[in-house]
Amino acid sequence: MSHHHKLIIIGSGPAGFTAALYAGRANLSPIVFEGIQPGGQLTITTEVDNYPGFAKGIMGPELMEIFREQAHRFGAQSIYKNITKVDFRQRPFKLWADDEAYTADAVIVSTGASAKWLNAKGEEYYKGYGVSACATCDGFFFRGLEVIVVGGGDTAIEEATFLSKLLQK
């Protein structure tokens, strides 16, 4: 037996909850699969200073709870399971959370991103206190300091280029 919904949203970060908010307001009764990290990457972010409306900043988990509450106020529902399989070959679309089946007329995939960490000594302890995975988000805090960018490929180069302009004394 499967559970049928008008709209299923996979992912519960800012994009997922924004989609849920608008879909709820359109009477689509969206279901948000929050997955393994409810609230997305912002739940592991300390101070969020680059989001409009919070002149003094806001903690990442607090911001995501506000997103969730607002989406739920307009009829979105959260399911705290991970989608493990999808079949988008025909309608209704089929999705599974482990062995539980769901179908939907429409699906929004907003699974976001996740940082690749080094698992170096002290890294976990200093996350949000000098160790960051987002130059755009946190670079401002390092103005006037020497920084090290670790990574490979385009992402590391883009972060280093951004920081080189931002951190100039």
Side-chain angles (χ1 to χ4, degrees), residues 5-25:
H5 302 282
K6 294 178 193 172
L7 173 64
I8 289 178
I9 299 167
I10 305 170
S12 59
F17 277 124
T18 299
L21 170 64
Y22 279 90
R25 289 172 52 100

Side-chain angles (χ1 to χ4, degrees), residues 17-34:
F17 277 124
T18 299
L21 170 64
Y22 279 90
R25 289 172 52 100
N27 293 321
L28 294 177
S29 305
I31 301 298
V32 179
F33 276 87
E34 295 218 26

Side-chain angles (χ1 to χ4, degrees), residues 116-163:
K116 292 183 180 177
W117 298 97
L118 298 173
N119 296 317
K121 183 179 178 182
E123 177 182 69
E124 188 66 34
Y125 182 80
Y126 288 107
K127 278 183 189 173
Y129 300 96
V131 173
S132 171
C134 180
T136 307
C137 308
D138 301 330
F140 172 85
F141 299 112
F142 304 111
R143 279 202 173 148
L145 301 174
E146 290 186 20
V147 299
I148 297 172
V149 175
V150 178
D154 293 353
T155 302
I157 296 299
E158 288 171 9
E159 299 285 279
T161 302
F162 175 82
L163 287 170

Side-chain angles (χ1 to χ4, degrees), residues 3-87:
H3 308 281
H4 184 77
H5 302 282
K6 294 178 193 172
L7 173 64
I8 289 178
I9 299 167
I10 305 170
S12 59
F17 277 124
T18 299
L21 170 64
Y22 279 90
R25 289 172 52 100
N27 293 321
L28 294 177
S29 305
I31 301 298
V32 179
F33 276 87
E34 295 218 26
I36 58 172
Q37 188 174 340
Q41 276 190 294
L42 276 179
T43 60
I44 60 168
T45 303
T46 52
E47 192 81 13
V48 177
D49 279 321
N50 61 344
Y51 192 82
F54 298 94
K56 295 181 180 175
I58 185 169
M59 299 300 281
E62 183 182 357
L63 180 60
M64 289 316 305
E65 186 56 34
I66 291 169
F67 275 41
R68 180 181 292 107
E69 286 175 15
Q70 188 174 13
H72 286 183
R73 186 172 67 126
F74 288 101
Q77 294 179 23
S78 291
I79 296 179
Y80 298 93
K81 294 182 179 179
N82 209 23
I83 293 295
T84 55
K85 180 180 169 186
V86 297
D87 182 353

